[in-house]
Amino acid sequence: MSLDDWRAVIFDAAALGIRTIQIIGGEPTVHPHWRALTEYALSLGRHVEVYSNLYTVHEQWWELFTHPAVTLGTSYYSDGSAEHDKITGRIGSYVRTRHNIREAVKRGVTVRAGIVEVLPGQRVVEARAELQSMGVTRITVDRARAVGRALLPGQSPAVDEMCGRCTRGRAAVLPNGDLAGCVLARDFPAGNVRENRLAELLGGKAWADLAARIPLPARDACPPDDSGDCNPANTTACAPKY
């Protein structure tokens, strides 16, 4: 996807009345145009969530993060640095993510955190309590799902592993332009935005067929729709945003 491709998708999303654009990865802030795309979405009157690991936040980014229509999303795994860093695979990630969460809250930025249970006995309850002590009120908790990097050897991706909200009030555009039901459903594309406009794809048969394959969510599958959104990689999507 080129910069113009991404701009076209954001424009089409705004024209469809989609209220929220989520910039996600991987780590979206390593993309050379993430700030330009965020600002473009804001110029179209959209709300933007930047879903970052918050490992690195440059001082000049805070002006954008404190925009009233921008929120930050992040993943948090434990209140212990060793356990958190073991899960992320990056030494120092706990300290740096925690520091930047505290800085964001201090600056008045709305922060949403997703906790994913990856390890047996993981300190999930304690992680939630620590987030709350830092002033984070929008917190979702989920198990690791067998998709993406969370697939075990010999496993194949299956729609049954989805939380049930994919395609229902949300969509994800992948780096190659594929349209998926959410960031977790990358293995089940329903067309490509470089070949057809977003409105055509969302109104098309492939999208309808994909939606029909996704099991309806259990009542306890996710928190209420207004509490969260799609989390990265091996986490669940929990609200109807785009």
Side-chain angles (χ1 to χ4, degrees):
M1 291 279 285
S2 68
L3 176 59
D4 287 343
D5 289 334
W6 284 120
R7 285 179 177 270
V9 169
I10 293 171
F11 179 87
D12 287 352
L16 287 169
I18 292 171
R19 301 183 304 275
T20 297
I21 306 294
Q22 185 188 59
I23 309 294
I24 194 169
E27 174 51 43
T29 62
V30 301
H31 191 281
H33 303 302
W34 76 269
R35 282 186 289 176
L37 293 171
T38 299
E39 290 166 352
Y40 181 62
L42 291 172
S43 75
L44 296 176
R46 303 304 97 181
H47 168 261
V48 178
E49 179 180 85
V50 180
Y51 202 109
S52 167
N53 58 27
L54 296 182
Y55 183 82
T56 299
V57 178
H58 296 292
E59 180 63 30
Q60 62 268 31
W61 295 358
W62 287 114
E63 182 178 0
L64 183 56
F65 289 158
T66 54
H67 188 287
V70 173
T71 60
L72 284 177
T74 195
S75 296
Y76 207 73
Y77 298 100
S78 176
D79 68 332
S81 60
E83 185 172 60
H84 183 97
D85 292 0
K86 180 180 180 180
I87 293 170
T88 64
R90 194 166 194 177
I91 295 174
S93 62
Y94 168 80
V95 171
R96 294 178 68 160
T97 297
R98 186 175 185 272
H99 168 79
N100 285 318
I101 289 174
R102 292 174 68 91
E103 183 66 23
V105 172
K106 184 178 74 174
R107 291 174 181 255
V109 180
T110 298
V111 178
R112 183 177 66 84
I115 304 173
V116 183
E117 187 174 359
V118 179
L119 302 176
Q122 183 179 328
R123 292 174 62 84
V124 170
V125 172
E126 294 83 357
R128 176 191 279 274
E130 183 169 62
L131 286 165
Q132 290 172 330
S133 73
M134 291 189 285
V136 179
T137 58
R138 299 178 62 191
I139 304 169
T140 59
V141 179
D142 190 36
R143 64 175 176 85
R145 296 179 180 271
V147 295
R149 293 176 295 171
L151 274 175
L152 298 176
Q155 281 187 314
S156 298
V159 293
D160 291 345
E161 271 297 289
M162 305 296 105
C163 77
R165 299 183 184 275
C166 302
T167 72
R168 298 179 175 114
R170 77 195 61 231
V173 177
L174 307 182
N176 65 353
D178 279 351
L179 178 69
C182 74
V183 293
L184 295 184
R186 68 195 74 174
D187 293 296
F188 312 104
N192 190 288
V193 297
R194 293 185 296 167
E195 299 169 1
N196 301 94
R197 301 302 289 263
L198 186 61
E200 181 181 352
L201 294 176
L202 292 177
K205 184 178 184 301
W207 184 257
D209 289 346
L210 175 61
R213 293 173 59 197
I214 304 292
L216 288 170
R219 288 190 175 185
D220 60 350
C222 280
D225 284 352
D226 61 353
S227 67
D229 199 346
C230 299
N231 300 325
N234 59 350
T235 68
T236 186
C238 298
K241 306 280 181 69
Y242 172 79

